[in-house]
Structures are given as structure tokens and as C-alpha cells.
Amino acid sequence: MINGSIVALITPMNSDGSVDFASLERLVEFHIDQGTDAIVAVGTTGESATLPMNEHVTVVAQTVKFAAGRIPVIGGNGANATSEAVELTKSLSKVGVAAMLGVTPYYNKPTPKGLVAHYKAVAASTDIPQILYNVPGRTAVDMKPETVAELVSVSNIIGVKEATGDVSRVKRLRELCGNDFMLYSGDDATAREFLLLGGNGVISVANNIVPKAFKAMCDAALAGNAELAASIDEPLRGLYSTLFCEANPIPVKWAAHRMGLIECGHIRLPLTELSEQCHGLLIDAMTRAQIEVK
């Protein structure tokens, strides 16, 4: 099982909008060196919405290649059409991912019955472990714990990324889904508490730029050391809000570029690069987190 500190990896791009695979390889090496436990490739933070399917699969495959078995890679396989999610899942099943992360179908607002049918269809198309992903702030649908519980019996649905920020769901999900079902936080601001309450890991945006510290916080929380986890977490808290001063992944790509982690901070339309009024806020938060800004 994949536990701990998991990065929702950005997809670096050149100024012409093409994927910067040289920077992607450096990012993978950076996270391996810093102790990150796993990588999510081409999830929401990886701009999955603007990568056509062939490019999406290529980026995930290259991430797996660069990782070379040293760190698990989870491929994003979400789509708002079940047929597209199934097709993507079949393609990703061939590239060596350890698991897949499938966001709830967005915009079309499926009912609980529709969510269950969707995820069962996706899971049936592969034998690779599947992680559900609930982020109602981005999708306009909230997958309740009771709906998640209906999917626990599917053998290769192994967990859920819960990004509501409502840590009370940890207890409810545990009650309904059992101790073997993996619970991942998708909300950096409440991740420490999520882990202390019994979560298994965090799929994080901030981890892109503070992987070593974020890993240490996760390890402390998973060990039940609330005091140590809090002391590590405190300098990072400014990042948790400032990295969402504009739509993710606009701020985190800008920050990664300023750190020299990627060659260019380009982001695909309809998202645009970070507005100037956010620059100072983000630099201040990075400074408090002891990040060197170039």
C-alpha cells in the first residue's frame, strides 16, 4: 500500500506550451532525493484538463520511466465521461503505474447511483488498484462516505482521496469502509489533522515545493507525534493558503519556476500565469517556509 507524503506533481511546460520532459525528469529526481513517498502524474495539479489523452498517457509513461521503480507512480485517470475514463484507464494500464487516481466526473453532477456505476465500470476495465477522488470544490459533486462505502467491495478500489477539508469524514469513512481501505487527504491545510485522526497519506500540492519538510510532517503525524508534526507544519501553513490565491496549479508552477525546479512557469489556457498582486504574497510565504527564491 502507498502511504505518507505523495506529491500531486505539476506538469512542466516550455514557453510554446509543449511538455518539458527534461524538467519533468529533474522533478522526479528531486522528489526521490527529498524522500517523497509517491508521485501522482497528470492529476488535477498536473493539468489533466488540458492534456489530450495521447499526451496525458505519454506524460504518465515518461514519469514512470524516470522513476525507474524507485518510487511508485499513480496515474490520473479521471474524466467526466465514463467511456473516456475507461479508455484512459486501459491505456494507463500498459505503462507501469502502481495505481490510478480517478476524480469524480465533473460538471455533469452525477447522482450517487451514477458515481457508483462510473467507478465500477472504470475498475472493471483493469486489475490495477484504483483510488477514488472527491474534490467538490472543483467538480460540483460531493461523493459522500456512504457512496464510497458502496465501492469498497470492488477488489481493486483500494482507497479515496478526500479533498473537502472536512476531517470529520475520516472517522465516518473508517466506520463504513474498514481499516484496510486507504484514506488520503487532498487538502494541505487540514492534512496533519487528517493523518492524526487515522488517515494513511496526503496527496499534496505544497509538496511540489517543500517535499522534505512535508514528508517529515507526514511521518510525524503517522507516528502519532502530534507535537512534532505541528512544529514542522507551522512554517508551511502560509503556503497552504497562498498556493491557492489563484486557481491551482497557477501559483505552484510559478513558485517552482522561481525555485529553479522547472525551466519555465508556462501554464495552458484557459489558465494564465500568476497575477503580479500575488507575487509578493507567495514570496513571503515561501520565505517563511525557508524556501530559497531565485
Side-chain angles (χ1 to χ4, degrees):
M1 292 297 183
I2 300 170
N3 297 282
S5 178
I6 304 163
V7 62
L9 195 69
I10 57 175
T11 300
M13 296 174 182
N14 297 304
S15 57
D16 63 0
S18 61
V19 176
D20 179 359
F21 288 102
S23 287
L24 179 62
E25 183 173 14
R26 288 196 300 272
L27 285 176
V28 172
E29 292 298 328
F30 173 65
H31 281 283
I32 292 171
D33 179 67
Q34 295 290 300
T36 298
D37 291 304
I39 291 171
V40 170
V42 199
T44 305
T45 305
E47 296 179 72
S48 56
T50 56
L51 270 67
M53 191 176 297
N54 63 336
E55 191 177 33
H56 183 132
V57 174
T58 298
V59 173
V60 176
Q62 286 298 112
T63 305
V64 171
K65 178 183 176 182
F66 296 147
R70 295 170 294 167
I71 185 173
V73 175
I74 301 165
N77 68 331
N80 65 334
T82 303
S83 58
E84 183 179 345
V86 166
E87 184 181 353
L88 181 56
T89 298
K90 289 178 178 179
S91 295
L92 291 177
S93 296
K94 302 172 184 177
V95 304
V97 294
M100 298 184 209
L101 176 69
V103 70
T104 55
Y106 42 87
Y107 186 78
N108 39 19
K109 299 177 73 172
T111 64
K113 181 180 178 180
L115 288 171
V116 170
H118 170 83
Y119 281 115
K120 283 185 174 180
V122 172
S125 71
T126 185
D127 59 0
I128 291 175
Q130 301 293 301
I131 302 168
L132 315 174
Y133 179 15
N134 184 41
V135 57
R138 299 290 292 243
T139 63
V141 61
D142 185 5
M143 183 167 54
K144 303 290 188 182
E146 292 75 15
T147 305
V148 174
E150 291 188 49
L151 293 161
V152 173
S153 61
V154 180
S155 61
N156 62 331
I157 294 180
I158 64 162
V160 63
K161 176 184 176 183
E162 175 60 45
T164 60
D166 179 4
V167 295
S168 70
R169 290 197 177 191
V170 178
K171 180 180 178 181
R172 184 63 175 154
L173 284 163
R174 274 281 171 256
E175 290 172 346
L176 292 171
C177 302
N179 292 329
D180 293 334
F181 197 71
M182 304 297 286
L183 303 183
Y184 301 103
S185 170
D187 180 64
D188 288 341
T190 57
R192 171 170 51 93
E193 188 176 359
F194 187 100
L195 295 177
L196 289 167
L197 288 170
N200 300 103
V202 185
I203 299 175
S204 165
V205 174
N207 195 356
N208 276 280
I209 59 174
V210 283
K212 188 172 185 179
F214 202 83
K215 161 72 171 170
M217 185 278 288
C218 289
D219 286 351
L222 286 169
N225 191 334
E227 184 176 352
L228 178 58
S231 68
I232 299 169
D233 200 41
E234 182 57 35
L236 310 181
R237 299 201 65 77
L239 288 175
Y240 301 157
S241 57
T242 312
L243 285 174
F244 292 88
C245 63
E246 291 186 349
N248 180 48
I250 293 172
V252 72
K253 289 192 88 168
W254 185 88
H257 176 53
R258 289 298 300 265
M259 291 171 66
L261 295 175
I262 56 178
E263 291 295 326
C264 176
H266 184 85
I267 193 162
R268 288 188 181 174
L269 290 171
L271 299 184
T272 55
E273 293 186 19
L274 189 68
S275 301
E276 280 193 28
Q277 58 263 36
C278 290
H279 291 189
L281 294 172
L282 192 45
I283 288 173
D284 287 347
M286 293 168 72
T287 300
R288 288 196 300 272
Q290 299 182 330
I291 297 172
E292 183 179 348
V293 180
K294 297 182 179 179

